Amino acid sequence: MEKGILEEVKKLVVDTNCPVESRVIAEKICNGARITSEEGLWLYEHGELGWLGMLAELIRHQLHGNHVYFIRNFHIEPTNICINKCRFCSFSHHFSQTHWELTVDEILEKVCEQPEDMQEIHITGAVHPDRDLYYYGDILKQIREIRPGLHMKAYSAVEMDHMIRQAGLTIEDGLKYLKECGLGSIPGGGAEIFDETIRSDIAGMKSSSEMWLEIHEKAHRLGISSNATMLYGHLETYTHRIDHMDRLRHLQDKTKGFNAFIPLKFKNWNNEMAQLPELPVVEDMRNYAVARIYLDNIPHLKAYWPAIGKKNAQLTLSFGVDDMDGTINDSTKIYSLAGAEEQSPRFTVSEMQEFIHQVKRIPVERDSRYNPL
Ligand code: SF4
């Protein structure tokens, strides 16, 4: 966006013919001020989609110019055997047609198969009943030995809660141990929706919202950055989404440890909530735009394309998104088991660059700390 166009957009979003609420919100955003939770809710309930997109794009442009980030990455999912039984889950052995428990050797073999220029490994899976902190720490140590330059983003807060308790350590000591083993950062999974009533309905056996937030806060204080997710499009309301983002915004004010926020869409295939319809794409775009506007202190908004499909992910680039996650290399089953259209999620670097060029933006290959490469 050129500077002149930016000024024009500012005038458009503060249109005097708009409802007074939208004018007040637009003026705040143009002046870099924070909106309230009531205003966030108003955006969800009354904001016109094109206008929301313009507001989100203004913020995205001020933060990142025309850059869209991506990384060369791959996933390892050590197991889908799970002690929990979340009703929205299509991944765990409870609902999936398949189950697996990779050995450490099998994990290392998968790491060795990856090209040398991989930047990041993302390790998450189910909450296995018997595997503890030392088992998972050993995986990190052995990967570090064979690929010392690889950034290890590993284990959701829900996995950590269990493995650290199994080892009888405090959260802080467990995190310190994983850091010594080579943990680089923490993925955002397991946040689901923080509202306690909805959470107990859809994921009653899972770690509490309070524990999720505590683990991320303690990690940030130890210098371990992380991401945050929100599972949307199931039983929650707009109020629950604002509450979720508000708890994240509050924590981020204290620690500044979140790199990216990642909305994750509920998929209704092969799980206990399969009777619920999936949200239409316009609701996805509304959600991305409101997230970009509301979470003014989390630098990056990520479209996790294996979940929403490549075409919809490309559309999010007009609704505040600046990060396309990574090349993935057909290494995750979490969303393909839930019926996502990307059954073998993979981008080559040149395909990713072309994909971003198609919307007239500049692809920037990054490392795990968002340094351009
Ligand atoms: S969402 Fe995660 S914790 Fe819940 S059942 Fe599935 S794998 Fe287990």
Side-chain angles (χ1 to χ4, degrees):
M1 234 187 270
E2 302 296 330
K3 200 162 176 246
I5 300 177
L6 201 66
E7 290 311 314
E8 285 305 309
V9 173
K10 283 189 181 177
K11 277 187 216 151
L12 271 177
V13 295
V14 195
D15 185 345
T16 43
N17 295 320
C18 287
V20 65
E21 292 90 344
S22 58
R23 227 172 30 245
V24 169
I25 294 171
E27 271 170 2
K28 275 191 173 179
I29 290 164
C30 291
N31 294 325
R34 172 168 283 187
I35 64 165
T36 65
S37 52
E38 291 76 19
E39 288 166 337
L41 190 57
W42 191 91
L43 292 178
Y44 267 131
E45 289 176 344
H46 307 288
E48 192 273 320
L49 188 61
W51 178 76
L52 286 176
M54 279 200 286
L55 286 177
E57 284 291 281
L58 262 181
I59 297 168
R60 192 267 310 150
H61 187 268
Q62 276 160 358
L63 289 169
H64 306 294
N66 279 331
H67 293 165
V68 176
Y69 299 93
F70 72 95
I71 189 167
R72 290 178 208 230
N73 66 347
F74 68 105
H75 289 220
I76 296 276
E77 288 156 358
T79 182
N80 73 337
I81 310 280
C82 197
I83 57 166
N84 296 333
K85 210 170 177 185
C86 305
R87 291 176 58 217
F88 60 82
C89 179
S90 317
F91 171 78
S92 80
H93 74 288
H94 302 294
F95 293 100
S96 169
Q97 308 303 318
T98 165
H99 65 272
W100 67 90
E101 296 174 79
L102 298 181
T103 63
V104 177
D105 283 347
E106 285 168 331
I107 289 172
L108 296 178
E109 212 173 290
K110 282 177 181 285
V111 173
C112 290
E113 282 166 8
Q114 298 297 328
E116 288 290 334
D117 55 9
M118 274 292 168
Q119 287 292 321
E120 180 182 280
I121 178 172
H122 177 125
I123 313 176
T124 49
V127 184
H128 193 282
D130 307 324
R131 293 177 168 180
D132 72 1
L133 182 72
Y134 302 107
Y135 174 84
Y136 286 108
D138 200 42
I139 292 176
L140 298 180
K141 281 191 206 162
Q142 295 208 44
I143 294 174
R144 185 171 56 183
E145 260 176 43
I146 57 171
R147 285 288 175 94
L150 196 62
H151 178 97
M152 294 189 279
K153 180 160 75 181
Y155 314 135
S156 71
V158 172
E159 291 163 87
M160 284 186 178
D161 179 19
H162 181 73
M163 67 175 82
I164 293 173
R165 266 189 292 119
Q166 290 272 87
L169 295 186
T170 63
I171 295 296
E172 199 166 19
D173 286 343
L175 285 165
K176 278 185 191 160
Y177 174 75
L178 289 172
K179 192 176 178 190
E180 280 162 23
C181 295
L183 179 75
S185 59
I186 301 179
E192 318 313 355
I193 199 83
F194 290 146
D195 176 82
E196 279 73 13
T197 309
I198 303 288
R199 190 180 187 85
S200 75
D201 191 343
I202 66 169
M205 298 165 77
K206 200 165 220 164
S207 311
S208 67
S209 305
E210 203 184 343
M211 178 55 78
W212 191 98
L213 289 161
E214 182 185 332
I215 289 174
H216 282 257
E217 177 165 358
K218 292 208 159 118
H220 295 172
R221 295 200 189 285
L222 290 169
I224 305 166
S225 63
S226 69
N227 288 338
T229 58
M230 174 174 75
L231 184 75
Y232 71 96
H234 43 89
L235 304 179
E236 91 293 356
T237 63
Y238 289 147
T239 305
H240 297 132
R241 290 191 213 168
I242 289 292
D243 165 65
H244 187 96
M245 290 194 281
D246 205 57
R247 297 194 209 190
L248 292 173
R249 192 166 78 169
H250 182 67
L251 177 53
Q252 181 74 341
D253 278 342
K254 292 201 279 180
T255 64
K256 307 216 174 356
F258 289 120
N259 291 324
F261 179 64
I262 312 158
L264 293 176
K265 181 175 186 167
F266 164 71
K267 302 291 286 180
N268 67 0
W269 198 74
N270 204 25
N271 57 48
E272 256 189 41
M273 292 163 70
Q275 80 286 359
L276 289 181
E278 287 181 11
L279 288 184
V281 175
V282 286
E283 273 302 300
D284 297 330
M285 299 307 135
R286 173 178 300 278
N287 196 48
Y288 280 99
V290 176
R292 180 61 287 169
I293 296 165
Y294 199 77
L295 291 170
D296 58 353
N297 55 1
I298 298 187
H300 299 282
L301 179 63
K302 179 183 289 198
Y304 186 58
W305 59 267
I308 53 169
K310 288 179 178 174
K311 285 182 190 150
N312 291 337
Q314 201 176 37
L315 199 53
T316 67
L317 294 173
S318 300
F319 290 87
V321 165
D322 66 282
D323 183 6
M324 286 301 301
D325 194 83
T327 49
I328 305 280
N329 223 7
D330 193 12
S331 53
T332 172
K333 293 194 187 70
I334 292 181
Y335 267 92
S336 49
L337 287 171
E341 68 181 67
E342 303 292 340
Q343 284 295 300
S344 304
R346 181 202 303 271
F347 262 120
T348 64
V349 168
S350 58
E351 283 166 353
M352 178 67 91
Q353 288 168 331
E354 172 57 18
F355 179 80
I356 295 167
H357 277 309
Q358 282 169 356
V359 289
K360 310 258 182 292
R361 304 270 287 280
I362 304 163
V364 178
E365 186 177 347
R366 64 170 176 87
D367 68 12
S368 300
R369 296 185 172 80
Y370 286 84
N371 297 308
L373 296 176

